[in-house]
Amino acid sequence: MRAGGAGSLQLDLWQLALVIAFCLLALLLVLLVLLAHEVGHLVGGRLVGFRAFLLIVGPLRLEKSESGWGMHLNTSLALFGGLAGSAATDARDLKRRTAVMVAGGPVASVVLALGAWL
């Protein structure tokens, strides 16, 4: 690492490669954390009888159609952080079941954090 002019920083090629690799690894880890959270919503919903139809995490979009699950590119920056879609199959005890589905994401995040900590 060399200091250049006022406030500049020059990196050797291998240092630049390390910085880029670290940034890509950090992005991958963020996407994996988001995936765990969104899948947690779907698992919570599944436990109470909801049917999953959509999972978006970063550039990945999984969507259920009549012919099955399809993988697509998510082109919406607004949804880049993640989205899980599931629907109740009936209206029985809907408030409690929806609460379980909604809580599934944070529960998955806490379980992931505890696992990483241990």
Side-chain angles (χ1 to χ4, degrees), residues 7 16 19 27 42 44 53 66-68 71 77 82 84 86 89 105 108 117:
L16 179 62
V19 168
L27 178 62
L42 297 181
F53 60 86
E66 291 181 13
S67 60
M71 188 178 340
L77 285 177
S86 62
T89 55
W117 183 67

Side-chain angles (χ1 to χ4, degrees), residues 22-39:
F22 179 78
C23 290
L24 290 175
L25 179 62
L27 178 62
L28 179 63
L29 288 174
V30 167
L31 289 175
L32 288 174
V33 168
L34 287 170
L35 177 64
H37 178 89
E38 297 304 333
V39 167

